[in-house]
Structure formats: structure tokens, C-alpha cells
Amino acid sequence: MPSAVRDSSSSWRDRSNIIGLLTLVVTVVAVGVTIYYSNDSSKSGRSQAESGEVQARTGISEAARQPNLKVARVAAYIEGGIDGTDLSEGAGGEKLENLHGPHVDITFENRAPGPSLITRATLKLREAGLLPVCHATGGPLMISVNYDFPMPSEIPKMPYEKSKDISFTVEDNKIDRLTLTMGPETVGWGRPWYGVVDVVFEHDGTKTTVGPISVVDTGGDAEFYPDGDTWIIENISNPACLDETATLVDRLMSIPDVTVSKELKSLRSKLISMGH
């Protein structure tokens, strides 16, 4: 058979045809591999994305369960309910009940689905002193008072700090109140004392500061003390001294962002009614 006339069935044996066929096969295989890895990569990417979304949702869920403690309200006032001991001569250490003293009343709110635990409180006393003497005074009482934060019998050097471990839980999505008392460990200061304090609460790995708060005490003076919504101020031997008291009270009430105790406000009203 002439070489020019070949069977068409043998044409695939030509070198060029073989090379073309191999190229086609390699291309098909490459496309198949590319499609496989592309699909695999897409699945892996989707899996990683879904895993990230799950972790993000878990993180948000965990964060949502964390406590979120806030201070909703602060008040200060003199109230009874404190125990103590009479150390006066002849009293023999008689136990006393329902003594009156300064209370700091804090309302906390926890707007989160996780409880908040307060573990420690620190009283920071910015300043303290005695209200001016405007009349003759007798001997001071000697009564030891069981305050949450007892201060030295003598006015301490400022600033003064005292800490106390506590355990107070504000449940999730609840509001609760915590009351702390403070004052000199004995009523030996005599005249009503005043103080400006901050209270730092440690809770849930952080700290919350409440203050400043201006407070005043009852003291041990039978002629100068708070009585309900007013003050008993009698037998004044130095009327000009009350102007000094009024100036002091005005300063304590004008401290920026201060919470003023009920009795400081009523003392200012009483002094105004007396012309000071």
C-alpha cells in the first residue's frame, strides 16, 4: 500500500497526535486536581469560618454571663443598731445595744446573667475632724463602738485607710443594698466628728470606688447633737463660733460629686434657722 495512503485508524500513532493526547490527559487531570483541591479548600475554609463563628458566639455567651456590677444609689445617715461597750468608770464594761453612728448605704445593681461577689472593702478617709466648740463642755463619754470600720480613738493622720474582708453577693439581674458603719472606736472624740470618705470595693477581678461621701457623727455632747431631722444646739456661749461651723459645713457640702449625709444637710438648715 502506498505510504501516502494510510489507514485513518493508524493516524493516532503519529507523534504529534500522541503528544496532543498526552497534553489533553494532563490538562484533564490537572483540572480535576484543581477542582478537588478547590473544593477541599472551600470546605476547609467554611469549616474554619464556622469554627470561628462558634468561638465568637461562645465568647459573646461567656461575656454575657459575666457580672456587670454598677452603683445605683449612695446615701449616708446616722442610724442605730450598733453594739458597743461602756468603758466609763464604774460601768465595768457593760454591753450596750442600738448605739447610733454613721452608715454608708450603697445600692448595687448587677444587670447580667452572672452573680457578682464583693470580697473586700477599703475605707479611705480623706479628712476628719471635730465640729467647733461653741459652748462649755463636760468630760467625754468612754464608749467603745463596734463599727465595721473603727478608727483610732485619736484623729488619725490623713489620708487614713482601713480594709475589711467581706462576702456580699449581688445575684444576676438583681439589685441589692450593702450598709457599712464607721467612726472612732471610742466616743472619746467628744464633739461630733465629721469625715470625707471613699470606699473601694473589690469584686470579680476589678474594683469599684464609691465616694466622696461627707458624714457626721452624733458625738458625746449633750448640748450639740443630731436629733431626728434637726439638731439640738443649746447653751451657746460663743455665737460667732456657729459661723465657723456653718463655713465648715458649706465646704463639706460643696466638694465635687460628693454624697452629703442627711445630718450634715439638717445641720446646715438648723444653722440657717439660727441666723448663721
Side-chain angles (χ1 to χ4, degrees):
M1 179 182 296
S3 60
V5 184
R6 294 182 179 175
D7 191 325
S8 61
S9 63
S10 64
S11 63
W12 62 272
R13 293 188 181 90
D14 287 350
R15 183 179 179 184
S16 60
N17 290 335
I18 292 174
I19 292 174
L21 180 59
L22 289 175
T23 301
L24 178 61
V25 171
V26 170
T27 301
V28 171
V29 171
V31 171
V33 171
T34 301
I35 292 173
Y36 171 79
Y37 280 109
S38 176
N39 289 339
D40 183 67
S41 176
S42 177
K43 291 179 181 178
S44 175
R46 284 198 299 270
S47 177
Q48 292 177 0
E50 290 172 358
S51 175
E53 290 175 1
V54 169
Q55 291 178 359
R57 286 196 298 269
T58 301
I60 294 172
S61 178
E62 288 295 329
R65 285 196 292 269
Q66 294 301 311
N68 185 23
L69 193 67
K70 303 293 183 183
V71 177
R73 177 180 175 272
V74 182
Y77 46 81
I78 293 174
E79 192 168 83
I82 308 172
D83 295 333
T85 305
D86 189 346
L87 303 177
S88 302
E89 185 177 352
E94 178 185 353
K95 298 299 180 183
L96 302 174
E97 296 179 347
N98 201 34
L99 298 174
H100 286 62
H103 288 61
V104 173
D105 186 338
I106 306 105
T107 300
F108 292 102
E109 62 177 344
N110 179 23
R111 297 302 185 188
S116 178
L117 175 62
I118 300 175
T119 57
R120 190 172 180 82
T122 299
L123 176 75
K124 295 186 175 184
L125 189 62
R126 298 188 185 189
E127 68 170 292
L130 301 175
L131 294 179
V133 174
C134 301
H135 57 273
T137 60
L141 300 173
M142 289 303 297
I143 296 176
S144 174
V145 185
N146 298 329
Y147 289 112
D148 292 321
F149 289 98
M151 303 173 194
S153 296
E154 301 294 330
I155 298 176
K157 181 180 178 181
M158 301 299 146
Y160 172 82
E161 291 189 13
K162 195 174 187 65
S163 296
K164 178 179 181 177
D165 291 332
I166 61 177
S167 181
F168 183 81
T169 300
V170 182
E171 297 295 344
D172 51 293
N173 292 304
K174 297 291 185 181
I175 296 177
D176 212 340
R177 291 170 58 193
L178 173 63
T179 303
L180 301 172
T181 60
M182 62 194 69
E185 56 189 357
T186 68
V187 189
W189 291 12
R191 290 173 281 152
W193 70 272
Y194 68 87
V196 180
V197 304
D198 300 277
V199 186
V200 180
F201 294 97
E202 298 180 28
H203 61 93
D204 315 308
T206 188
K207 296 180 180 180
T208 296
T209 300
V210 178
I213 308 164
S214 291
V215 300
V216 67
D217 192 17
T218 59
D221 192 326
E223 296 177 331
F224 183 33
Y225 63 92
D227 182 26
D229 292 330
T230 187
W231 279 66
I232 302 299
I233 302 178
E234 298 177 341
N235 300 321
I236 301 301
S237 57
N238 179 14
C241 170
L242 293 180
D243 290 330
E244 181 183 349
T245 302
T247 299
L248 172 60
V249 174
D250 285 341
R251 181 176 66 80
L252 294 176
M253 294 178 64
S254 63
I255 295 172
D257 302 318
V258 69
T259 296
V260 181
S261 72
K262 169 189 169 186
E263 287 72 26
L264 271 177
K265 293 177 182 178
S266 64
L267 175 57
R268 191 65 192 96
S269 298
K270 178 67 175 182
L271 292 171
I272 289 174
S273 72
M274 297 174 68
H276 300 277

